[in-house]
């Protein structure tokens, strides 16, 4: 799935909203544009679900994330927690509806 923006966007509802510290909320379309601009970057990370609750067609995940990004003379390492709301859509698939992350730079990285 490396660099497969279409597959990643398929994991989101059409009205998904992302909340990231220091930025205005943005949606699926803006996420896709940013992913395409970064498709030559190397992105590696880990993702640990700390809590998962399902309530009918809604669910939430509390996650711990660590991500390393490098490319074009850039190296970033960010880590922290995120809270994701998921919605079960008419086709039976769970997709991200809202995502708020609190990732911050790790020691000495941007």
């Amino acid at each position: 799935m490396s660099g497969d923006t279409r597959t990643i966007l398929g994991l989101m509802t059409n009205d998904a909203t992302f909340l990231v510290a220091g930025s205005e909320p943005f949606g699926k379309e803006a996420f896709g544009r940013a992913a395409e601009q970064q498709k030559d970057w190397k992105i590696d990370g880990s993702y640990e679900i700390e809590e998962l609750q399902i309530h009918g067609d809604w669910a939430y995940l509390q996650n711990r994330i660590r991500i390393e990004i490098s490319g074009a003379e850039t190296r970033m390492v960010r880590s922290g927690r995120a809270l994701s709301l998921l919605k079960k859509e008419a086709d039976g698939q769970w997709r991200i509806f809202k995502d708020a992350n609190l990732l911050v730079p790790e020691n000495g990285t941007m």
Side-chain angles (χ1 to χ4, degrees):
M1 184 159 73
S2 178
D4 188 352
T5 303
R6 178 179 289 191
T7 297
I8 293 169
L9 293 176
L11 300 173
M12 304 168 193
T13 63
N14 288 331
D15 57 349
T17 303
F18 297 88
L19 306 173
V20 178
S23 298
E24 289 295 314
F26 58 93
K28 182 176 181 175
E29 187 176 307
F31 185 102
R33 283 193 307 270
E36 282 299 311
Q37 291 174 353
Q38 300 168 359
K39 69 181 178 182
D40 294 329
W41 294 12
K42 181 181 180 204
I43 301 173
D44 191 21
S46 60
Y47 184 91
E48 177 186 348
I49 297 172
E50 296 180 324
E51 182 179 359
L52 166 63
Q53 294 285 327
I54 300 172
H55 302 278
D57 289 344
W58 293 90
Y60 73 84
L61 299 167
Q62 181 175 312
N63 321 292
R64 179 184 299 271
I65 301 171
R66 182 175 191 278
I67 189 165
E68 296 180 44
I69 302 169
S70 57
E73 301 180 26
T74 300
R75 180 174 182 275
M76 294 183 284
V77 180
R78 295 179 181 253
S79 61
R81 289 192 162 79
L83 182 64
S84 303
L85 300 176
L86 291 86
K87 183 168 35 171
K88 189 173 187 179
E89 296 199 300
D91 63 1
Q93 296 297 308
W94 288 95
R95 292 189 175 88
I96 295 171
F97 175 61
K98 303 287 181 198
D99 186 81
N101 82 57
L102 303 171
L103 303 184
V104 297
E106 283 192 359
N107 303 327
T109 65
M110 298 293 285

